[in-house]
């Protein structure tokens, strides 16, 4: 697998992943969207289909990691050269930023309508000095379209949630095809991975929004900070480390566990 294969495949695949995943979040969130208030089921299945599309599209080009946690897990397991890891990660981050920008382009009118609506921008933040500052909003009204945030802001719990959820994802990927002479499952693997993502969203996604992918969160968060969105509010950089550190730890644990229990 050449460097150009990795760059092209991971950039395109991750861009498609974020375009469709961020797109379902925009569809459910924004005013003047036909899918507004469709709910958590729509989001979880939308992200599952996003994974399926991106992975199926570029699986034969770059291996369709689309996620630094997967790349780290595969490097620890031995399926990916450590020397290729930086290129994978950089390509994934670039793709995530492109995908987030495309979501903005698709929903340009809806973003403007949403962020200029008095019902949205008229909401007042919690008063400074409240006893429960964990309940105070720390993000703008559309940040959830671009990146994740916790329902209860507790750094330890939030990191643990992301570690566990990501470990499940990466271990499910690493163990594909163990009963098939170790050759993997080919295109069927993309379908299984997408269903695992849906399952994680339904079962483990409630506390943090299940980033389970550092660039899925970081790339769009950077785009949110850069886009000329009116009344967009903050990008909650104080939380941004959690969906980076948690998934990377989870991916590393999954790679190590695979070597101990399955190799």
């Amino acid at each position: 697998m050449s460097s150009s294969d990795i760059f092209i495949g991971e950039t395109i695949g991750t861009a498609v992943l974020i375009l469709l995943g961020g797109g379902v979040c925009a569809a459910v969130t924004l005013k003047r969207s036909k899918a507004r208030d469709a709910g958590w089921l729509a989001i979880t299945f939308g992200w599952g289909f996003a994974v399926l599309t991106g992975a199926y599209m570029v699986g034969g080009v770059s291996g369709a990691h689309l996620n630094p946690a997967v790349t780290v897990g595969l490097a620890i397991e031995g399926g990916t050269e450590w020397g290729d890891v930086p290129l994978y990660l950089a390509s994934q981050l670039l793709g995530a930023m492109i995908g987030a920008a495309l979501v903005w382009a698709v929903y340009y009118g809806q973003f403007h309508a949403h962020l200029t609506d008095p019902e949205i921008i008229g909401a007042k933040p919690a008063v400074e000095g409240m006893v429960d500052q964990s309940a105070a909003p720390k993000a703008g009204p559309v940040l959830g379209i671009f990146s994740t945030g916790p329902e209860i802001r507790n750094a330890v719990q939030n990191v643990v949630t992301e570690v566990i959820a990501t470990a499940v994802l990466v271990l499910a990927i690493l163990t594909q095809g163990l009963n098939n002479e170790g050759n993997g499952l080919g295109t069927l693997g993309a379908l299984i991975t997408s269903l695992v993502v849906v399952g994680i969203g339904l079962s483990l996604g409630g506390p943090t929004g299940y980033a389970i992918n550092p660039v899925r969160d970081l790339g769009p968060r950077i785009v949110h900070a850069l886009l000329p969105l009116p009344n967009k509010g903050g990008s909650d950089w104080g939380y941004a480390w959690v969906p980076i550190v948690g998934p990377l730890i989870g991916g590393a644990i999954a790679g190590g566990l695979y070597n101990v229990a399955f190799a």
Side-chain angles (χ1 to χ4, degrees), residues 16-42:
V16 170
L17 166 65
I18 301 302
L19 170 61
L20 299 183
V24 72
C25 292
V28 171
T29 300
L30 295 175
K31 289 199 167 189
R32 307 292 293 276
S33 165
K34 294 182 182 295
R36 191 173 190 226
D37 295 328
W40 189 246
L41 282 176

Side-chain angles (χ1 to χ4, degrees), residues 50-146:
V51 170
L52 175 62
T53 306
Y56 184 82
M57 187 179 294
V58 303
V61 180
S62 65
H65 296 189
L66 314 184
N67 183 341
V70 173
T71 300
V72 168
L74 284 167
I76 291 173
E77 177 265 341
T80 295
E81 296 289 337
W82 279 105
D84 290 333
V85 170
L87 179 58
Y88 269 102
L89 270 56
S91 304
Q92 291 157 2
L93 180 60
L94 175 61
M97 294 177 68
I98 293 171
L102 292 174
V103 172
W104 170 66
V106 170
Y107 283 92
Y108 179 85
Q110 281 74 22
F111 273 111
H112 180 78
H114 192 83
L115 290 172
T116 56
D117 190 304
E119 292 184 6
I120 302 299
I121 63 174
K124 300 297 184 182
V127 177
E128 189 70 28
M130 288 177 60
V131 173
D132 183 13
Q133 284 299 305
S134 65
K138 299 178 183 295
V142 296
L143 181 60
I145 294 171
F146 294 90

